[in-house]
Amino acid sequence: MARMAPETHDEILVAAARRFAATGYRGTSLQDIAREVGCSKAAVLYHFANKEAILTELMAPAIGVLQALDERIRAHRGTAAQRVAAEGFVDLAVRFRREIALLRGEFPELLQQPAFAHIQRISERLVDALAGHPARPSARITALVLLAGISETCGEFPDVADEELRAALLALARRALEPVD
Amino acid sequence: MARMAPETHDEILVAAARRFAATGYRGTSLQDIAREVGCSKAAVLYHFANKEAILTELMAPAIGVLQALDERIRAHRGTAAQRVAAEGFVDLAVRFRREIALLRGEFPELLQQPAFAHIQRISERLVDALAGHPARPSARITALVLLAGISETCGEFPDVADEELRAALLALARRALEPVD
DNA sequence: CCCCGATCTGACCGATCGGTCAGGGCCTGA
DNA sequence: TCAGGCCCTGACCGATCGGTCAGATCGGGG
């Protein structure tokens, strides 16, 4: 062990991130990634069990933070939960906007893969918290529009500073969300 | 001509709509559509030149209304344009939520196909109008989040009445959008 | 020196994709 | 009755997909 420079693993990750961001997960083939790295497709599959393993490793940090946010939300109720959810999700979206952009609208399909099954439940709780527990239909609609809109667009502003984007999104969320009673 | 019942064409359309809504455009094969209709894949391609032709025919009514909205927006300026854009887009999203849901996050790729090239420009003008012409970054961000959020989610409430959904979305838009000056 | 394990390659696999094609029923108008 | 056109089928095409496999290369430790 402890060989010199088998950094191919990481090169594959950054190449995959670029391709996924450009053409989506489904729209990127292992051949595309291999071409970008400059190795064979078989080499990619030597470092990763399969295509999905590349995505899960890319998304792991963001998913970890999402799970932590979920636990923090579940420790609160009502208005407090709503505030924690809004601030936490905006922060997550800004910090991981590159990773989120990789999924480019493939959320629905990707979430149905078993590896991401628990993400589905977490995002449902996020919507509940944002909408507030009484959950009038209009509140649920607002929460879902906000969540989907931020997820879909946060990657479209690569040249806006983190702090500016966070401020804009948070202000939008506060304006949009109806207070829980 | 004037034969009895060549309604296969329409059956293909409704079957395709169901499959696209369930698994997306890319995620639906011609074989899937044929299976749902109960005919051969070749029969599907007898009625439609290719897969894309099915999608364009499904989207034609919504695209027509979108173009009409675009012209109405371009006839106004500033606050008036913003109001026309918000009300017009919400109305369009509610009326055609089934059709919009078909695209399920495949907007970016599909819009790049030549058949939909002009839609790209129309949606850019929509964002401009919603953001207001001064176009501070935060206003653009708000407009984009709103547009993407409504597009992505309007199909998720098939059992909410048109009027209720329209009211909720319009109220959200009014709260979220920053007034032009 | 030689062997071993980590790394990587090219050839190959079965499945599926969108799309083509020749032909076969079957209805209709002449 | 029969020619012709509409509707449709099954077989087939080349391309591409994710993934497998036997073996080549090569550096380091016994």
Side-chain angles (χ1 to χ4, degrees):
Chain A
M1 59 203 76
R3 289 274 290 281
M4 246 300 287
E7 61 212 350
T8 310
H9 181 96
D10 295 343
E11 287 178 23
I12 291 172
L13 278 181
V14 316
R18 262 198 305 269
R19 299 307 302 151
F20 289 165
T23 56
Y25 176 75
R26 282 204 198 173
T28 299
S29 69
L30 294 173
Q31 196 66 256
D32 292 333
I33 299 171
R35 193 181 307 119
E36 185 127 342
V37 173
C39 67
S40 68
K41 186 180 63 166
V44 173
L45 287 164
Y46 169 78
H47 288 280
F48 295 88
N50 49 46
K51 191 184 176 186
E52 187 185 328
I54 303 177
L55 181 65
T56 59
E57 186 159 330
L58 277 173
M59 300 302 294
I63 288 178
V65 172
L66 178 63
Q67 284 170 326
L69 171 63
D70 182 45
E71 289 169 18
R72 262 164 49 223
I73 291 173
R74 296 170 82 171
H76 296 78
R77 288 287 175 276
T79 308
Q82 192 187 38
R83 200 191 56 242
V84 170
E87 293 175 0
F89 178 71
V90 165
D91 186 64
L92 186 146
V94 172
R95 278 172 58 195
F96 293 101
R97 50 181 144 156
R98 249 182 58 93
E99 284 79 358
I100 295 175
L102 302 189
L103 303 179
R104 288 242 293 177
E106 298 178 274
F107 273 103
E109 295 87 8
L110 293 177
L111 287 188
Q112 280 169 16
Q113 291 192 251
F116 295 125
H118 59 301
I119 307 292
Q120 190 99 346
R121 286 193 297 275
I122 291 181
S123 64
E124 283 168 15
R125 282 196 292 269
L126 238 176
V127 172
D128 285 342
L130 284 176
H133 275 152
R136 283 167 295 165
S138 74
R140 277 195 70 82
I141 291 171
T142 294
L144 209 55
V145 169
L146 214 55
L147 214 69
I150 292 176
S151 300
E152 284 295 317
T153 60
C154 62
E156 305 267 328
F157 311 100
D159 45 349
V160 174
D162 275 20
E163 202 39 61
E164 184 178 359
L165 183 57
R166 176 174 11 244
L169 291 178
L170 207 49
L172 165 60
R174 281 200 245 265
R175 259 178 281 135
L177 288 173
E178 314 174 23
V180 180
D181 293 281
Chain B
M1 59 205 73
R3 289 272 289 279
M4 249 300 286
E7 60 211 354
T8 309
H9 181 97
D10 295 342
E11 288 178 23
I12 291 172
L13 279 181
V14 317
R18 262 199 304 270
R19 300 307 302 151
F20 290 166
T23 57
Y25 177 75
R26 282 205 198 172
T28 300
S29 68
L30 294 173
Q31 196 66 254
D32 291 334
I33 298 170
R35 194 182 305 119
E36 185 128 341
V37 173
C39 69
S40 68
K41 185 179 64 165
V44 174
L45 286 163
Y46 169 79
H47 287 280
F48 295 88
N50 48 46
K51 191 184 176 188
E52 187 184 329
I54 304 176
L55 182 64
T56 59
E57 186 160 332
L58 277 173
M59 301 301 294
I63 287 178
V65 171
L66 178 63
Q67 284 170 328
L69 171 62
D70 182 46
E71 288 169 18
R72 262 165 49 224
I73 291 174
R74 296 171 82 171
H76 296 79
R77 289 285 175 275
T79 307
Q82 192 187 36
R83 198 192 57 242
V84 170
E87 292 175 1
F89 178 71
V90 165
D91 186 65
L92 186 145
V94 171
R95 279 172 58 194
F96 294 101
R97 49 181 145 158
R98 251 181 58 90
E99 285 79 358
I100 294 176
L102 303 188
L103 304 180
R104 286 244 293 177
E106 299 179 275
F107 273 103
E109 295 87 8
L110 293 177
L111 288 187
Q112 280 168 16
Q113 292 190 251
F116 294 124
H118 59 302
I119 306 293
Q120 189 98 344
R121 287 193 295 276
I122 291 180
S123 63
E124 283 167 15
R125 282 196 291 270
L126 238 176
V127 172
D128 284 343
L130 284 176
H133 276 152
R136 282 167 295 164
S138 74
R140 277 195 72 81
I141 291 171
T142 294
L144 208 55
V145 168
L146 215 56
L147 214 69
I150 292 177
S151 301
E152 284 295 315
T153 61
C154 61
E156 306 269 327
F157 311 100
D159 44 349
V160 175
D162 276 19
E163 202 40 60
E164 183 179 357
L165 183 56
R166 179 177 4 249
L169 290 178
L170 207 49
L172 166 59
R174 281 199 246 265
R175 260 180 280 134
L177 288 173
E178 314 175 24
V180 180
D181 297 279

